[in-house]
Amino acid sequence: MDLLPIFLGLVGLAMGSFVDALVWRLKNKKDFVADRSECESCHHKLGVKDLVPVISWLSLGGKCRYCGKKISTVSPVIELSMGALFVLSYFFWPLGFDQWQAVASFVIWLIYLVLLTALFVYDLRWMLLPDKLVFPLITLGLVDAGLRVSLMPGTNYIFYVLSGVTAIAGFYGLLYFFSKGKWVGFGDVKLSIFIGAVLGWQKAIMVLLFSNVIGFLYVVPGLALGKLNRKSRIPFGPFLIIAFFIAGLFGDIILNWYIYELLLVGV
Protein backbone atom coordinates (compact mmCIF):
# COMPACT_ATOMS: atom_id res chain seq x y z
CA MET A 1 0.00 0.00 0.00
CA ASP A 2 1.37 3.40 -1.02
CA LEU A 3 1.30 5.54 2.11
CA LEU A 4 2.76 8.62 0.42
CA PRO A 5 -0.64 10.05 -0.66
CA ILE A 6 -1.86 9.78 2.95
CA PHE A 7 1.28 11.52 4.18
CA LEU A 8 0.91 14.25 1.56
CA GLY A 9 -2.74 14.71 2.47
CA LEU A 10 -1.82 15.24 6.13
CA VAL A 11 0.97 17.64 5.19
CA GLY A 12 -1.48 19.48 2.92
CA LEU A 13 -3.95 19.84 5.81
CA ALA A 14 -1.20 21.29 8.00
CA MET A 15 -0.11 23.64 5.21
CA GLY A 16 -3.72 24.76 4.83
CA SER A 17 -3.69 25.79 8.48
CA PHE A 18 -0.43 27.62 7.83
CA VAL A 19 -1.95 29.42 4.82
CA ASP A 20 -4.82 30.71 6.96
CA ALA A 21 -2.34 32.06 9.52
CA LEU A 22 -0.04 33.43 6.81
CA VAL A 23 -2.81 35.46 5.17
CA TRP A 24 -3.91 36.95 8.49
CA ARG A 25 -0.35 37.83 9.53
CA LEU A 26 0.46 39.43 6.19
CA LYS A 27 -2.65 41.60 6.37
CA ASN A 28 -1.89 42.66 9.95
CA LYS A 29 1.83 43.12 9.26
CA LYS A 30 2.81 40.41 11.72
CA ASP A 31 5.95 38.31 11.56
CA PHE A 32 4.65 35.07 10.05
CA VAL A 33 7.61 33.15 11.48
CA ALA A 34 7.93 34.51 15.01
CA ASP A 35 4.36 35.57 15.88
CA ARG A 36 1.90 33.02 17.22
CA SER A 37 -1.58 32.44 15.84
CA GLU A 38 -4.42 34.12 17.69
CA CYS A 39 -8.20 34.47 17.59
CA GLU A 40 -9.22 37.30 15.27
CA SER A 41 -11.98 38.34 17.68
CA CYS A 42 -10.47 38.18 21.18
CA HIS A 43 -6.78 37.96 20.13
CA HIS A 44 -6.12 35.13 22.59
CA LYS A 45 -2.98 33.22 21.60
CA LEU A 46 -3.89 29.78 20.28
CA GLY A 47 -2.34 26.61 21.62
CA VAL A 48 -1.46 23.40 19.79
CA LYS A 49 -4.87 21.86 20.54
CA ASP A 50 -6.52 24.84 18.81
CA LEU A 51 -4.54 24.42 15.63
CA VAL A 52 -5.16 20.79 14.64
CA PRO A 53 -6.44 21.10 11.03
CA VAL A 54 -10.21 20.62 10.62
CA ILE A 55 -10.53 18.58 13.84
CA SER A 56 -10.10 21.62 16.11
CA TRP A 57 -12.77 23.52 14.19
CA LEU A 58 -15.19 20.58 14.32
CA SER A 59 -14.58 19.80 18.00
CA LEU A 60 -15.27 23.41 18.96
CA GLY A 61 -18.37 23.66 16.81
CA GLY A 62 -16.77 26.34 14.67
CA LYS A 63 -16.31 28.69 17.64
CA CYS A 64 -13.33 30.13 19.50
CA ARG A 65 -12.49 28.15 22.64
CA TYR A 66 -11.83 31.36 24.58
CA CYS A 67 -14.46 33.92 23.53
CA GLY A 68 -17.09 31.77 21.87
CA LYS A 69 -17.17 33.86 18.69
CA LYS A 70 -17.75 32.05 15.42
CA ILE A 71 -14.71 31.00 13.39
CA SER A 72 -15.18 31.36 9.65
CA THR A 73 -15.74 28.18 7.65
CA VAL A 74 -12.97 29.51 5.38
CA SER A 75 -10.37 27.94 7.68
CA PRO A 76 -11.44 24.27 7.36
CA VAL A 77 -12.22 24.79 3.66
CA ILE A 78 -8.65 26.00 3.04
CA GLU A 79 -7.23 23.10 5.05
CA LEU A 80 -9.28 20.46 3.24
CA SER A 81 -8.54 22.07 -0.14
CA MET A 82 -4.80 22.03 0.49
CA GLY A 83 -4.92 18.38 1.54
CA ALA A 84 -6.82 17.50 -1.63
CA LEU A 85 -4.48 19.54 -3.84
CA PHE A 86 -1.39 17.84 -2.41
CA VAL A 87 -2.84 14.38 -3.06
CA LEU A 88 -4.18 15.29 -6.50
CA SER A 89 -0.79 16.70 -7.48
CA TYR A 90 0.89 13.42 -6.55
CA PHE A 91 -1.45 11.31 -8.67
CA PHE A 92 -1.35 13.59 -11.71
CA TRP A 93 2.23 14.88 -11.56
CA PRO A 94 3.20 15.11 -15.25
CA LEU A 95 6.98 14.86 -14.83
CA GLY A 96 6.96 11.52 -13.01
CA PHE A 97 9.28 10.62 -10.15
CA ASP A 98 12.04 8.72 -11.95
CA GLN A 99 14.60 11.54 -12.02
CA TRP A 100 15.78 13.76 -9.20
CA GLN A 101 14.94 16.92 -11.15
CA ALA A 102 11.31 15.81 -11.43
CA VAL A 103 11.16 15.04 -7.70
CA ALA A 104 12.73 18.41 -6.85
CA SER A 105 10.25 20.13 -9.17
CA PHE A 106 7.38 18.34 -7.39
CA VAL A 107 8.57 19.62 -4.01
CA ILE A 108 8.73 23.14 -5.43
CA TRP A 109 5.24 22.64 -6.88
CA LEU A 110 3.93 21.89 -3.37
CA ILE A 111 5.49 25.14 -2.18
CA TYR A 112 3.71 26.88 -5.07
CA LEU A 113 0.42 25.48 -3.85
CA VAL A 114 0.95 26.98 -0.40
CA LEU A 115 1.95 30.43 -1.65
CA LEU A 116 -0.65 30.51 -4.43
CA THR A 117 -3.45 29.50 -2.08
CA ALA A 118 -2.42 32.35 0.22
CA LEU A 119 -2.48 34.72 -2.77
CA PHE A 120 -5.87 33.33 -3.84
CA VAL A 121 -7.42 34.06 -0.44
CA TYR A 122 -5.68 37.43 -0.04
CA ASP A 123 -6.74 38.68 -3.47
CA LEU A 124 -10.34 37.55 -2.93
CA ARG A 125 -10.55 39.37 0.40
CA TRP A 126 -8.53 42.52 -0.25
CA MET A 127 -7.97 42.61 -4.03
CA LEU A 128 -4.22 42.66 -3.74
CA LEU A 129 -1.37 40.28 -4.62
CA PRO A 130 1.37 41.03 -2.06
CA ASP A 131 4.95 41.23 -3.34
CA LYS A 132 6.04 39.28 -0.25
CA LEU A 133 4.41 36.24 -1.85
CA VAL A 134 4.79 37.02 -5.55
CA PHE A 135 8.55 37.69 -5.55
CA PRO A 136 9.45 34.38 -3.83
CA LEU A 137 7.25 32.65 -6.40
CA ILE A 138 9.15 34.29 -9.27
CA THR A 139 12.49 33.27 -7.71
CA LEU A 140 11.33 29.68 -7.21
CA GLY A 141 9.89 29.68 -10.72
CA LEU A 142 13.23 30.57 -12.28
CA VAL A 143 14.91 27.73 -10.38
CA ASP A 144 12.11 25.33 -11.28
CA ALA A 145 12.36 26.31 -14.94
CA GLY A 146 15.97 25.10 -14.90
CA LEU A 147 14.88 21.75 -13.47
CA ARG A 148 12.13 21.37 -16.06
CA VAL A 149 14.40 22.34 -18.97
CA SER A 150 16.99 19.77 -17.84
CA LEU A 151 14.31 17.12 -18.45
CA MET A 152 13.71 18.37 -22.01
CA PRO A 153 16.79 17.68 -24.18
CA GLY A 154 17.47 20.38 -26.72
CA THR A 155 15.47 23.06 -24.91
CA ASN A 156 17.22 26.35 -24.19
CA TYR A 157 16.61 27.77 -20.70
CA ILE A 158 16.65 31.43 -21.76
CA PHE A 159 14.24 30.80 -24.64
CA TYR A 160 11.95 28.69 -22.42
CA VAL A 161 11.67 31.40 -19.76
CA LEU A 162 11.53 34.46 -22.03
CA SER A 163 9.00 32.95 -24.44
CA GLY A 164 6.78 31.87 -21.56
CA VAL A 165 6.96 35.24 -19.83
CA THR A 166 6.35 37.13 -23.07
CA ALA A 167 3.35 34.96 -23.97
CA ILE A 168 1.37 35.79 -20.84
CA ALA A 169 3.03 38.62 -18.90
CA GLY A 170 3.58 40.55 -22.12
CA PHE A 171 -0.13 40.36 -22.88
CA TYR A 172 -1.25 41.42 -19.41
CA GLY A 173 1.48 44.04 -19.31
CA LEU A 174 0.03 45.65 -22.44
CA LEU A 175 -3.48 45.51 -20.97
CA TYR A 176 -2.20 47.16 -17.80
CA PHE A 177 -0.35 49.86 -19.74
CA PHE A 178 -3.14 50.81 -22.15
CA SER A 179 -5.91 50.67 -19.53
CA LYS A 180 -3.76 52.42 -16.91
CA GLY A 181 -4.48 49.61 -14.49
CA LYS A 182 -8.25 49.53 -15.00
CA TRP A 183 -8.46 46.12 -16.73
CA VAL A 184 -5.78 44.24 -14.80
CA GLY A 185 -3.60 45.11 -11.83
CA PHE A 186 0.18 45.21 -11.85
CA GLY A 187 0.12 42.33 -9.36
CA ASP A 188 -1.50 40.20 -12.08
CA VAL A 189 1.35 41.11 -14.43
CA LYS A 190 3.96 40.07 -11.85
CA LEU A 191 2.12 36.82 -11.13
CA SER A 192 2.09 36.17 -14.88
CA ILE A 193 5.89 36.46 -14.96
CA PHE A 194 6.04 33.55 -12.53
CA ILE A 195 3.51 31.52 -14.55
CA GLY A 196 5.31 32.04 -17.85
CA ALA A 197 8.73 31.22 -16.41
CA VAL A 198 7.52 27.93 -14.94
CA LEU A 199 5.29 26.63 -17.73
CA GLY A 200 6.88 27.87 -20.97
CA TRP A 201 5.00 29.53 -23.82
CA GLN A 202 2.55 26.76 -24.78
CA LYS A 203 1.10 26.25 -21.32
CA ALA A 204 1.36 29.97 -20.59
CA ILE A 205 -1.01 30.59 -23.49
CA MET A 206 -3.21 27.85 -22.05
CA VAL A 207 -3.32 29.72 -18.72
CA LEU A 208 -4.11 32.93 -20.60
CA LEU A 209 -7.09 31.29 -22.29
CA PHE A 210 -8.34 29.36 -19.28
CA SER A 211 -8.11 32.29 -16.87
CA ASN A 212 -10.21 34.47 -19.16
CA VAL A 213 -12.78 31.69 -19.68
CA ILE A 214 -13.01 31.18 -15.90
CA GLY A 215 -13.35 34.94 -15.44
CA PHE A 216 -16.09 35.03 -18.06
CA LEU A 217 -17.97 32.19 -16.34
CA TYR A 218 -17.75 34.12 -13.07
CA VAL A 219 -18.66 37.57 -14.36
CA VAL A 220 -21.57 36.77 -16.69
CA PRO A 221 -23.76 35.03 -14.07
CA GLY A 222 -22.85 37.77 -11.59
CA LEU A 223 -24.05 40.44 -14.01
CA ALA A 224 -27.19 38.47 -14.87
CA LEU A 225 -28.09 38.02 -11.18
CA GLY A 226 -27.32 41.64 -10.35
CA LYS A 227 -24.51 40.73 -7.96
CA LEU A 228 -22.02 42.53 -10.20
CA ASN A 229 -22.19 45.61 -12.40
CA ARG A 230 -19.88 47.03 -15.04
CA LYS A 231 -18.06 49.10 -12.44
CA SER A 232 -17.49 46.20 -10.02
CA ARG A 233 -13.88 45.49 -9.14
CA ILE A 234 -13.06 41.84 -9.68
CA PRO A 235 -9.83 40.20 -8.46
CA PHE A 236 -8.22 38.43 -11.42
CA GLY A 237 -5.49 36.64 -9.46
CA PRO A 238 -7.72 33.70 -8.44
CA PHE A 239 -8.58 33.04 -12.10
CA LEU A 240 -4.88 32.96 -13.01
CA ILE A 241 -4.12 30.66 -10.10
CA ILE A 242 -6.85 28.15 -10.98
CA ALA A 243 -5.72 28.17 -14.62
CA PHE A 244 -2.09 27.67 -13.56
CA PHE A 245 -3.05 24.63 -11.51
CA ILE A 246 -4.99 23.11 -14.44
CA ALA A 247 -2.24 23.78 -17.00
CA GLY A 248 0.54 22.70 -14.62
CA LEU A 249 -0.98 19.28 -13.93
CA PHE A 250 -3.06 18.55 -17.02
CA GLY A 251 -1.44 20.75 -19.66
CA ASP A 252 0.37 17.88 -21.40
CA ILE A 253 -2.82 15.82 -21.56
CA ILE A 254 -4.71 18.77 -23.04
CA LEU A 255 -1.95 19.54 -25.57
CA ASN A 256 -1.67 15.91 -26.65
CA TRP A 257 -5.43 15.70 -27.10
CA TYR A 258 -5.43 18.93 -29.12
CA ILE A 259 -2.60 17.73 -31.37
CA TYR A 260 -4.38 14.37 -31.83
CA GLU A 261 -7.58 16.17 -32.85
CA LEU A 262 -5.64 18.31 -35.34
CA LEU A 263 -4.09 15.18 -36.84
CA LEU A 264 -7.53 13.60 -37.18
CA VAL A 265 -8.82 16.68 -38.96
CA GLY A 266 -5.76 16.64 -41.17
CA VAL A 267 -6.37 13.02 -42.11
Side-chain angles (χ1 to χ4, degrees):
M1 180 180 178
D2 188 358
L3 296 178
L4 189 54
I6 297 174
F7 171 74
L8 287 173
L10 294 174
V11 172
L13 287 171
M15 288 297 100
S17 182
F18 171 73
V19 164
D20 197 31
L22 174 60
V23 169
W24 184 84
R25 292 175 195 179
L26 276 174
K27 178 59 179 176
N28 292 278
K29 296 179 171 56
K30 301 279 188 179
D31 188 325
F32 59 83
V33 175
D35 286 324
R36 288 176 56 192
S37 297
E38 60 184 58
C39 171
E40 293 186 28
S41 299
C42 67
H43 302 290
H44 192 288
K45 300 297 182 184
L46 302 181
V48 175
K49 61 183 178 181
D50 304 312
L51 298 172
V52 180
V54 182
I55 295 175
S56 292
W57 188 88
L58 289 173
S59 65
L60 294 170
K63 295 179 181 179
C64 173
R65 184 189 305 276
Y66 308 99
C67 69
K69 292 288 181 66
K70 276 193 172 184
I71 302 172
S72 171
T73 54
V74 170
S75 297
V77 168
I78 292 174
E79 291 164 358
L80 288 170
S81 298
M82 286 297 299
L85 286 173
F86 270 47
V87 174
L88 193 66
S89 296
Y90 171 73
F91 284 117
F92 291 97
W93 183 237
L95 302 182
F97 297 98
D98 295 331
Q99 297 176 276
W100 72 266
Q101 296 98 321
V103 175
S105 185
F106 179 72
V107 172
I108 293 175
W109 173 267
L110 297 182
I111 298 173
Y112 292 160
L113 293 182
V114 174
L115 298 179
L116 288 172
T117 302
L119 280 175
F120 186 101
V121 175
Y122 204 102
D123 201 23
L124 273 182
R125 295 184 68 177
W126 300 293
M127 305 193 74
L128 183 68
L129 296 169
D131 288 342
K132 285 186 177 181
L133 296 178
V134 176
F135 286 159
L137 278 170
I138 293 174
T139 303
L140 279 173
L142 292 172
V143 174
D144 189 20
L147 294 171
R148 290 168 181 257
V149 167
S150 70
L151 297 170
M152 298 182 284
T155 303
N156 180 272
Y157 174 81
I158 300 297
F159 175 79
Y160 181 89
V161 171
L162 288 183
S163 61
V165 170
T166 301
I168 185 166
F171 176 78
Y172 285 122
L174 289 174
L175 286 183
Y176 176 81
F177 176 77
F178 286 111
S179 70
K180 297 181 179 178
K182 293 180 180 178
W183 296 341
V184 293
F186 194 53
D188 301 316
V189 178
K190 287 181 282 188
L191 182 60
S192 297
I193 293 173
F194 153 74
I195 291 171
V198 173
L199 297 181
W201 71 269
Q202 289 176 312
K203 293 176 187 174
I205 291 175
M206 193 180 295
V207 172
L208 181 65
L209 294 173
F210 287 172
S211 60
N212 283 281
V213 170
I214 296 167
F216 177 82
L217 293 175
Y218 172 82
V219 170
V220 171
L223 291 172
L225 295 172
K227 294 182 179 180
L228 298 173
N229 58 59
R230 294 190 178 185
K231 293 184 179 180
S232 297
R233 291 186 63 202
I234 300 168
F236 195 72
F239 306 145
L240 283 171
I241 291 167
I242 294 171
F244 171 79
F245 178 76
I246 294 171
L249 284 187
F250 308 107
D252 289 333
I253 296 173
I254 296 169
L255 284 172
N256 289 336
W257 169 83
Y258 181 70
I259 293 170
Y260 177 74
E261 289 297 315
L262 284 180
L263 289 173
L264 282 181
V265 172
V267 172

